[in-house]
């Protein structure tokens, strides 16, 4: 567990294999002004992790931000039956065994809107992702929209593959396959980017890779330079 700002913590979990690469997992927890906990992209739940989280407050909201981040959600739902779960329509379709109290849309009215802004990043047939902005700390929270792996996380072959996908720090960005799926929807993606930049992020936390603590807005602009191509 690491506290990045007042009422904001990250928890790094074990890696899971994805397209031959070891993808580290990261959960972000925000304590809202009412004391409730908002849990983004839950990682594998262990007794030790449970104790750490419960020391922060009551788990109220569980967030599945895209259809790739659902592996551990069921355990969290069973452990915290009072918590409400939210995700994209794609993750609901992929996991009909899970219960969702609401789905992210452009018109979604978030219960946490006082503390956290959000945006459903659309335009791709490959995947939608809901991104979030913690207002008090100026923290942009993404999942796979930006991946920024340390080169040290991979062996030589894996670094080669990761560099080709464009997900190596310090030049991390959206993985290549997802970028290509925006070929005919770049204007829509630019509209989303404009809103994210207007948030004036001071920090970027992603589920996979090195957190951006300085010049976050400039990093965000660079990571989406492919939209101008």
């Amino acid at each position: 567990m690491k506290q990045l700002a007042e009422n904001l913590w990250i928890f790094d979990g074990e890696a899971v294999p994805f397209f031959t690469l070891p993808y580290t997992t990261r959960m972000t927890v925000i304590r809202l002004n009412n004391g409730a906990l908002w849990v983004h992209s839950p990682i594998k739940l262990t007794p030790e992790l449970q104790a750490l989280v419960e020391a922060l407050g009551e788990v109220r909201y569980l967030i599945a931000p895209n259809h790739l981040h659902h592996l551990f959600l069921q355990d969290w739902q069973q452990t915290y039956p009072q918590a409400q779960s939210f995700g994209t329509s794609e993750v609901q379709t992929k996991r009909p065994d899970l219960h969702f109290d609401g789905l992210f849309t452009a018109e979604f009215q978030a219960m946490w809107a006082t503390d956290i802004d959000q945006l459903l990043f659309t335009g791709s047939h490959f995947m939608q992702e809901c991104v979030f902005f913690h207002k008090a700390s100026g923290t942009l929270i993404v999942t796979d929209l930006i991946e920024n792996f340390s080169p040290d996380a991979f062996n030589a072959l894996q670094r080669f593959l990761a560099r080709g996908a464009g997900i190596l720090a310090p030049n991390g960005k959206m993985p290549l396959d997802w970028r290509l799926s925006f070929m005919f929807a770049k204007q829509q993606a630019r509209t989303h980017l404009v809103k994210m930049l207007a948030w004036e992020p001071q920090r970027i936390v992603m589920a996979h890779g090195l957190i951006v603590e300085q010049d976050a807005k400039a990093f965000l602009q660079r990571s989406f330079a492919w939209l101008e191509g």
Side-chain angles (χ1 to χ4, degrees), residues 84-101:
Q84 293 182 295
S85 298
F86 298 88
T88 64
S89 60
E90 294 170 337
V91 73
Q92 183 190 48
T93 299
K94 188 173 184 177
R95 293 295 305 271
D97 57 311
L98 297 178
H99 169 74
F100 289 94
D101 297 276

Side-chain angles (χ1 to χ4, degrees), residues 11 27 29 37 39 49-57 59 76 80:
F11 298 78
M27 175 176 77
V29 175
L37 297 185
V39 181
L49 176 59
Q50 184 175 346
L52 289 171
V53 170
E54 291 178 1
L56 301 177
V59 174
W76 284 78
Y80 301 104

Side-chain angles (χ1 to χ4, degrees), residues 117-154:
D117 277 333
Q118 67 184 63
L119 165 70
L120 186 63
F121 203 102
T122 59
S124 165
H125 65 271
F126 179 74
M127 184 164 63
Q128 297 180 351
E129 178 175 313
C130 200
V131 300
F132 302 90
F133 181 70
H134 183 229
K135 301 176 187 178
S137 66
T139 301
L140 176 65
I141 303 166
V142 303
T143 315
D144 296 288
L145 199 74
I146 302 171
E147 297 175 0
N148 192 46
F149 286 98
S150 167
D152 296 334
F154 302 127

Side-chain angles (χ1 to χ4, degrees), residues 142-215:
V142 303
T143 315
D144 296 288
L145 199 74
I146 302 171
E147 297 175 0
N148 192 46
F149 286 98
S150 167
D152 296 334
F154 302 127
N155 62 35
L157 177 59
Q158 291 168 340
R159 279 195 299 274
F160 175 79
L161 295 173
R163 185 174 291 108
I167 57 175
L168 275 190
N171 301 308
K173 57 181 71 69
M174 184 184 291
L176 177 61
D177 53 350
W178 195 5
R179 271 181 277 145
L180 291 175
S181 70
F182 281 95
M183 183 175 297
F184 302 108
K186 286 188 175 182
Q187 184 54 51
Q188 187 172 348
R190 290 188 195 102
T191 300
H192 296 323
L193 176 61
V194 167
K195 182 171 182 179
M196 293 163 63
L197 291 170
W199 285 335
E200 298 284 344
Q202 305 301 304
R203 174 190 295 110
I204 303 175
V205 173
M206 58 282 292
H208 309 296
L210 300 178
I211 294 170
V212 176
E213 293 275 12
Q214 296 181 338
D215 301 320

Side-chain angles (χ1 to χ4, degrees), residues 74-86:
Q74 187 173 58
D75 288 344
W76 284 78
Q77 289 182 336
Q78 291 173 350
T79 302
Y80 301 104
Q82 79 286 358
Q84 293 182 295
S85 298
F86 298 88

